Amino acid sequence: MEPIKVQSEGGLNVTLTIRLLMHGKEVGSIIGKKGETVKKMREDSGARINISEGNCPERIVTITGPTDAIFKAFAMIAYKFEEDIINSMSNSPATSKPPVTLRLVVPASQCGSLIGKGGSKIKEMRESTGAQVQVAGDMLPNSTERAVTISGAPEAIIQCVKQICVVMLESPPKGATIPYRPKPASTPVIFSGGQVRADPLGASTANLSLLLQHQPLPAYTIQGQYAIPHPDLSKLHQLAMQQTPFTPLGQTTPAFPAGLDASNQASTHELTIPNDLIGCIIGRQGTKINEIRQMSGAQIKIANAMEGSSERQITITGTPANISLAQYLINARFRDVAAMWNDPSSMTTS
């Protein structure tokens, strides 16, 4: 992360990315009718506002831009939520106005700096801004991030966000961060052996099938400095729909279908991935493949491209549980990418 640069008027001059966790109703308020509200927020603030894929009870709203643009975007969101509260009270006997509440998603390695020694920093933020700030004790599921909840009047929230941004810039994350990804609405799948598991992939089948009906996309999308090739959606659909036995991510023991060896002996499994989709798995500077390695505990090696070949070999080594989870995470990655192409407004440069 780049160091803090101070402008002559004493303000920050850096580009930041801040992630918010919102419920579906909150996201609907931000998007507005036909996307008009979020479009206006983007134009008026100058910040990029991306919203994660939509079949989840929770969504991630990512705000990226120079600090002044980020603070404008936060102000617009906070005042919009206050407006929603006022409107909801018009038909309610309640007389006291509840506070506006925003939930930030912050790498756990930075939370110590936000809290400060003996809670000194978080106490200082509460007293100087008038906002309530709470850092969750536990990490969000299957991630190395925590929720930081800010409540209060919009003006207090904006001042608090500014202070949090300063702390995050002064204390960058340590090590790799596994970002929180809200779990899709799930539907049960029954295996031939009679086992039942929740299946996020199955829940997305209808959306992915719709992808194949879309008009042809241009060959490249420009995101920042990068020209990213559009994936072959038929291949993407096929890969995302592969049914792989996996560990539900909140459990430690995988629920293997009948007949699968669940011993702890290391073994090797090979996958073949089309060249034009390998970038989906690797991610920028290897971020995505490193996440999959950390979460699955498997060793994953991607063979170099062979001249004249349109495919790459992926070798996964580990226990059956490790391999199964790695395969699931790879397929889930294809699902996420497919969803991004289906909803261009949700695209990030990840």
Side-chain angles (χ1 to χ4, degrees):
M1 187 175 291
E2 59 184 290
I4 301 174
K5 301 169 190 171
V6 180
Q7 296 173 331
S8 56
E9 62 270 27
L12 294 173
N13 180 27
V14 289
T15 297
L16 276 176
T17 296
I18 305 291
R19 283 153 47 83
L20 288 166
L21 184 57
M22 292 188 188
H23 296 299
K25 190 175 180 182
E26 295 170 320
V27 170
S29 173
I30 295 302
I31 294 173
K33 192 175 181 181
K34 296 182 180 177
E36 288 170 4
T37 304
V38 74
K39 183 182 177 187
K40 182 168 174 55
M41 285 181 177
R42 286 170 178 146
E43 290 171 354
D44 291 356
S45 70
R48 285 179 54 199
I49 304 172
N50 291 323
I51 298 165
S52 68
E53 187 247 333
N55 64 338
C56 305
E58 292 180 317
R59 310 273 287 278
I60 296 287
V61 177
T62 306
I63 306 174
T64 303
T67 46
D68 60 339
I70 292 228
F71 301 147
K72 283 179 191 173
F74 264 95
M76 290 175 192
I77 290 170
Y79 282 115
K80 181 68 176 76
F81 283 178
E82 184 181 56
E83 181 188 314
D84 294 341
I85 289 167
I86 292 167
N87 290 340
S88 70
M89 288 180 68
S90 61
N91 299 319
S92 166
T95 52
S96 60
K97 188 173 69 174
V100 174
T101 299
L102 295 180
R103 288 182 296 164
L104 276 60
V105 180
V106 177
S109 59
Q110 292 178 291
C111 287
S113 301
L114 285 178
I115 295 167
K117 191 172 182 180
S120 58
K121 189 65 188 176
I122 200 166
K123 184 183 177 187
E124 178 192 317
M125 283 194 281
R126 287 170 182 152
E127 290 175 350
S128 63
T129 66
Q132 283 298 313
V133 191
Q134 291 181 314
V135 179
D138 296 326
M139 287 188 278
L140 289 157
N142 315 307
S143 78
T144 57
E145 293 188 306
R146 292 192 200 180
V148 176
T149 305
I150 311 171
S151 299
E155 298 81 2
I157 285 175
I158 296 157
Q159 291 306 314
C160 190
V161 166
K162 287 183 179 180
Q163 293 196 24
I164 287 172
C165 287
V166 171
V167 173
M168 291 174 72
L169 284 163
E170 289 175 342
S171 306
K174 299 176 185 69
T177 298
I178 301 174
Y180 174 58
R181 299 184 186 281
K183 190 176 180 183
S186 59
T187 54
V189 171
I190 301 174
F191 283 110
S192 56
Q195 292 119 322
V196 178
R197 67 170 166 89
D199 184 20
L201 296 183
S204 302
T205 305
N207 290 343
L208 286 162
S209 297
L210 287 171
L211 289 173
L212 306 181
Q213 301 165 21
H214 278 227
Q215 295 299 314
L217 294 162
Y220 290 89
T221 294
I222 303 300
Q223 297 179 12
Q225 304 169 33
Y226 299 87
I228 300 175
H230 282 261
D232 179 328
L233 292 181
S234 60
K235 290 179 189 171
L236 201 51
H237 179 267
Q238 184 181 11
L239 288 161
M241 288 299 97
Q242 286 173 358
Q243 293 300 315
T244 306
F246 73 103
T247 309
L249 295 181
Q251 297 180 9
T252 53
T253 306
F256 286 100
L260 196 71
D261 177 17
S263 72
N264 288 322
Q265 291 182 347
S267 57
T268 297
H269 184 82
E270 292 188 343
L271 296 174
T272 303
I273 305 291
N275 272 340
D276 57 353
L277 297 182
I278 202 73
C280 301
I281 297 301
I282 296 173
R284 184 175 296 177
Q285 296 180 335
T287 52
K288 297 302 170 189
I289 193 69
N290 285 337
E291 282 175 24
I292 294 169
R293 285 176 178 132
Q294 286 188 42
M295 291 179 75
S296 67
Q299 293 180 23
I300 305 172
K301 293 182 181 178
I302 300 173
N304 293 329
M306 300 290 288
E307 191 175 346
S309 172
S310 61
E311 296 178 324
R312 299 273 284 277
Q313 199 81 17
I314 296 181
T315 304
I316 308 171
T317 305
T319 66
N322 298 145
I323 292 170
S324 181
L325 183 51
Q327 284 181 268
Y328 167 71
L329 292 169
I330 287 168
N331 292 342
R333 176 66 185 152
F334 286 129
R335 182 205 69 222
D336 291 343
V337 172
M340 284 196 292
W341 295 118
N342 192 30
D343 177 12
S345 68
S346 73
M347 275 197 248
T348 66
T349 54
S350 62

